[in-house]
Structure formats: structure tokens, C-alpha cells
């Protein structure tokens, strides 16, 4: 059987997402009951990071430890991808030692180059183009809060960035409607948008945040300046001024609307303190669920969900 990579949501079917989610639900419940699993005993994960991270790094490292495995962190200084060594040589060497690679790179092409060269699975821990682990976690978190994804109106206010690209890919898998409100000139990648629309995603792109927020079930936002765009921060602060998730904007959403943020948040820029700390915010539930969903992803890739279920999830304490 060929190895499974997770470079974007195109690499996982809706049925497989469902399996990953039920496994994640079970892992979450059992972890809270103190039931431990050692299903990845003897397995090693290499974490390659060209950019900073809190959530992705800690949730993958902790997840590996909780499943009995081990993680090796390699930051920008250690590997110097493309400078000290080519991405493919790095991936080929790592494949001789470790069982799986999670990489956070700037370019999606570098990640893809590593995936082609690696004989072990490669998982996208965020690139400039996609953040699949985050969006899978977000859908899982929404299911916990809303019990369904079908028919939801999910409104993303802000930059047409990697998060938006992954949300548009998620819209191909799930029948929710995805609306992006972004400033002119900050629309998502046209190729990703076209593919998602052609794949059946219900996607609307507008420049009017207030109009978009009307009746929303979910208001989602992310930083105005993503990692790697720091030199544009000042201009972006001006351009994105009308795209802040604040109480006035949230008041336009549905009565039961939730507010989501992948974090890190810049309070006072894309979201206000009141909203992020307010009763509708589920941002820290999202952060927690990175752990549970990614543990399920690791098991899905390394063991196959069905086998993990059959084998020992009833488990060893
Ligand atoms: N949301 C997210 O991926 O956070 P980090 O950048 O801290 O990993
Ligand atoms: N769009 C953000 C997401 C951070 C999790 C970035 O790429 O910096």
C-alpha cells in the first residue's frame, strides 16, 4: 500500500475525515477519563519548522508522547532547508530514521518536494498556501458546538490567506456555505478558488464585511499579516481596518453564532479583546482540539483508523 501524505484537504476524503473525527472524539473522551494508549510505541515523528509555532509544535509533540511515541523538533536553524541541504535530501535522510514527518514550510512546493522524496508520510503543518490540520480541527470543533456542518453559514472576515484556502477546500467536502469578506486586492489564490468552486464548494467572496456577517452561524478570523509577510504589516493594518471582528459586527450574525480564531490573535487588530474573550468565542476549544484531532490523524496515517480501533483503543491504561 502506498504511503498517505496530508499536504492539503485534497488528500483526505469526506468519509476518512469522518473516521478521523470519530477517533478524535474517542481519544479526547478517553484522555479525560485517564485512559492512555501506547499505539505509537517505538514510532518517531520529525517536526520540521521553517516558521514559528506554539500550537502546532506542542500539540504534535504532546500527541506523540501521549500515544507512546517520540517527536524530534527541527527548527529553522537546524536544517536550513534549501540552504544547507535540499528539501528532498533532507526528506530522504529523515525517512531512514523516522516514521512520519510534519513540516511547516513557506512554500507548498517545498513541502510537496519533500513528500515526493520521502518514503514516509508527510503532513502539512502550515504553508503559505494551506493549513489542513487547523481546518480539520475547526470542523471538528464546530461539530462539537453545532452538531452539524451541513447548512451552516461560515463567514471568514479578513485576509484571503492559507486558512481561507483550506476552508474553501473544506467547503468541497461539507455542504456548508463559506463566505469570505476581504479587502480588494487581498482575495484568495484564484486557482485554489476555482478548484474549490468547480469541486462543488458553495463559496462567495465579497468586500463587504457587514453584509457578509448577516445571519452568520460562524464568524472566523485570522491575523491580517501572516508569517512571512511582516514587511507589509503597517500597510495591512490600514487596509484591513474595516475588517475587524468586533461587537458591532458580531451583532449582525445569527443569535447562536460562534466566533472562531485559529490563533495567535492580535487583539485590537483583526479581533477585539471583548469578542475573543466573550461568550461566543470558541478559540481556545479550537486550540485544545488540535491535540485530539492530530492524534487521530497520526493514527489514521500510521496505523489506519480501522486497525487502531480494532487493536487497542479499548486500551491499556
Ligand atoms: N494555529 C496555529 O497553527 O498556531 P501555531 O502557529 O502557534 O502553531
Ligand atoms: N495565516 C496565519 C495562520 C497562523 C496559524 C499565518 O500563516 O501566519
Amino acid at each position: 500500500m502506498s504511503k498517505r501524505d496530508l499536504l492539503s484537504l485534497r488528500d483526505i476524503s469526506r468519509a476518512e475525515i469522518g473516521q478521523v473525527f470519530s477517533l478524535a472524539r474517542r481519544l479526547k473522551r478517553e484522555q479525560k477519563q485517564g485512559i492512555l494508549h501506547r499505539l505509537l510505541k517505538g514510532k518517531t515523528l520529525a517536526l520540521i519548522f521553517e516558521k514559528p509555532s506554539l500550537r502546532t509544535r506542542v500539540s504534535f509533540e504532546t500527541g506523540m508522547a501521549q500515544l507512546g511515541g517520540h517527536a524530534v523538533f527541527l527548527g529553522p536553524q537546524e536544517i536550513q532547508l534549501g540552504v544547507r541541504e535540499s528539501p528532498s535530501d533532507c526528506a530522504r535522510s529523515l525517512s531512514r530514521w523516522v516514521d512520519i514527518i510534519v513540516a511547516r514550510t513557506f512554500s507548498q512546493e517545498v513541502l510537496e518536494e519533500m513528500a515526493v522524496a520521502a518514503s514516509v508520510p508527510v503532513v502539512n503543518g502550515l504553508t503559505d498556501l494551506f493549513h489542513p490540520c487547523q481546518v480539520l480541527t475547526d470542523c471538528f470543533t464546530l461539530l462539537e458546538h453545532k452538531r452539524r456542518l451541513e447548512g451552516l453559514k461560515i463567514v471568514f472576515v479578513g485576509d484571503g490567506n492559507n486558512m481561507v484556502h483550506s476552508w474553501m477546500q473544506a467547503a468541497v467536502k461539507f455542504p456548508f456555505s463559506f463566505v469570505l469578506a476581504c479587502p480588494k486586492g487581498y482575495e484568495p489564490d484564484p486557482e485554489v478558488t476555482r478548484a474549490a468552486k468547480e469541486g462543488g464548494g458553495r463559496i462567495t467572496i465579497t468586500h463587504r464585511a457587514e453584509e457578509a456577517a448577516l445571519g452568520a452561524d460562524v464568524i472566523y478570523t485570522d491575523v491580517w499579516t501572516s508569517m512571512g509577510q511582516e514587511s507589509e504589516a503597517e500597510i495591512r493594518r490600514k487596509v484591513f481596518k474595516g475588517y475587524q471582528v468586533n461587537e458591532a459586527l458580531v451583532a449582525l450574525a445569527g443569535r447562536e453564532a460562534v466566533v472562531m480564531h485559529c490563533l495567535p490573535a492580535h487583539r485590537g487588530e483583526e479581533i477585539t479583546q471583548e469578542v475573543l474573550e466573550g461568550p461566543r468565542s470558541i478559540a481556545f476549544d479550537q486550540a485544545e482540539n488540535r491535540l485530539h484531532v492530530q492524534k487521530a490523524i497520526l493514527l489514521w496515517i500510521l496505523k489506519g483508523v480501522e486497525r487502531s480501533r480494532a487493536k487497542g483503543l479499548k486500551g491499556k491504561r
Side-chain angles (χ1 to χ4, degrees):
M1 215 178 74
S2 63
K3 69 171 177 126
R4 292 300 297 259
D5 297 314
L6 181 59
L7 308 183
S8 80
L9 287 199
R10 291 177 67 161
D11 295 330
I12 184 165
S13 70
R14 179 172 170 172
E16 288 169 329
I17 294 174
Q19 290 173 354
V20 166
F21 284 179
S22 24
L23 187 54
R25 228 167 270 130
R26 186 167 178 181
L27 288 165
K28 180 173 181 175
R29 190 178 60 240
E30 293 190 350
Q31 194 212 337
K32 290 186 192 295
Q33 293 167 348
I35 299 171
L36 305 176
H37 299 289
R38 291 283 172 263
L39 293 161
L40 296 186
K41 193 166 174 221
K43 301 279 185 202
T44 301
L45 160 71
L47 284 161
I48 299 179
F49 281 69
E50 285 191 318
K51 302 177 179 181
S53 170
L54 173 70
R55 278 147 290 273
T56 307
R57 175 184 176 172
V58 176
S59 53
F60 268 113
E61 279 198 27
T62 307
M64 246 352 238
Q66 288 179 0
L67 290 169
H70 174 64
V72 180
F73 176 76
L74 300 155
Q77 285 319 310
E78 270 97 1
I79 299 194
Q80 298 179 32
L81 270 185
V83 177
R84 187 166 177 272
E85 193 161 19
S86 71
S88 54
D89 281 357
C90 167
R92 283 173 66 191
S93 300
L94 282 170
S95 299
R96 300 291 179 112
W97 310 309
V98 307
D99 302 282
I100 183 163
I101 297 169
V102 171
R104 169 168 288 192
T105 56
F106 286 94
S107 97
Q108 181 76 11
E109 288 73 31
V110 164
L111 184 81
E112 281 165 12
E113 189 185 330
M114 287 174 43
V116 168
S119 58
V120 298
V122 175
V123 175
N124 184 345
L126 179 148
T127 60
D128 291 347
L129 205 58
F130 295 118
H131 198 1
C133 294
Q134 180 70 54
V135 160
L136 285 174
T137 303
D138 296 338
C139 290
F140 177 84
T141 308
L142 266 181
L143 280 169
E144 286 185 334
H145 283 268
K146 297 266 175 209
R147 303 275 148 225
R148 69 191 162 100
L149 294 172
E150 285 72 12
L152 293 183
K153 179 182 179 186
I154 300 177
V155 177
F156 191 110
V157 180
D159 188 21
N161 63 16
N162 44 9
M163 289 305 314
V164 167
H165 295 151
S166 284
W167 270 110
M168 292 197 300
Q169 289 194 330
V172 177
K173 315 274 173 187
F174 296 105
F176 54 70
S177 103
F178 180 76
V179 182
L180 166 68
C182 67
K184 282 204 174 83
Y186 293 84
E187 293 84 3
D189 181 274
E191 190 46 42
V192 178
T193 310
R194 189 193 53 75
K197 284 187 175 172
E198 280 179 14
R202 286 165 57 205
I203 293 161
T204 309
I205 299 174
T206 167
H207 302 301
R208 290 198 256 267
E210 282 80 13
E211 217 173 282
L214 282 175
D217 299 295
V218 179
I219 302 232
Y220 198 109
T221 192
D222 181 17
V223 290
W224 290 338
T225 301
S226 285
M227 291 179 278
Q229 300 171 331
E230 289 76 8
S231 64
E232 300 171 25
E234 211 173 308
I235 176 137
R236 281 171 174 267
R237 265 194 286 274
K238 290 191 190 114
V239 175
F240 282 84
K241 246 200 165 92
Y243 296 84
Q244 184 187 62
V245 175
N246 51 36
E247 286 189 322
L249 191 82
V250 173
L252 300 170
R255 284 166 51 126
E256 306 289 318
V258 293
V259 173
M260 302 182 82
H261 194 310
C262 55
L263 302 175
H266 292 165
R267 291 167 163 86
E269 292 191 14
E270 77 276 1
I271 192 163
T272 59
Q273 164 81 1
E274 296 70 37
V275 172
L276 188 63
E277 297 298 342
R280 291 173 188 267
S281 168
I282 58 170
F284 290 92
D285 293 344
Q286 295 169 252
E288 173 184 340
N289 284 336
R290 293 291 300 278
L291 173 70
H292 310 298
V293 171
Q294 287 164 190
K295 280 167 75 176
I297 290 171
L298 290 169
L299 285 172
W300 166 62
I301 289 179
L302 288 172
K303 298 251 166 189
V305 167
E306 290 308 324
R307 269 185 294 144
S308 315
R309 254 205 215 116
K311 244 184 119 184
L313 263 183
K314 277 219 194 92
K316 307 162 187 167
R317 280 167 199 263

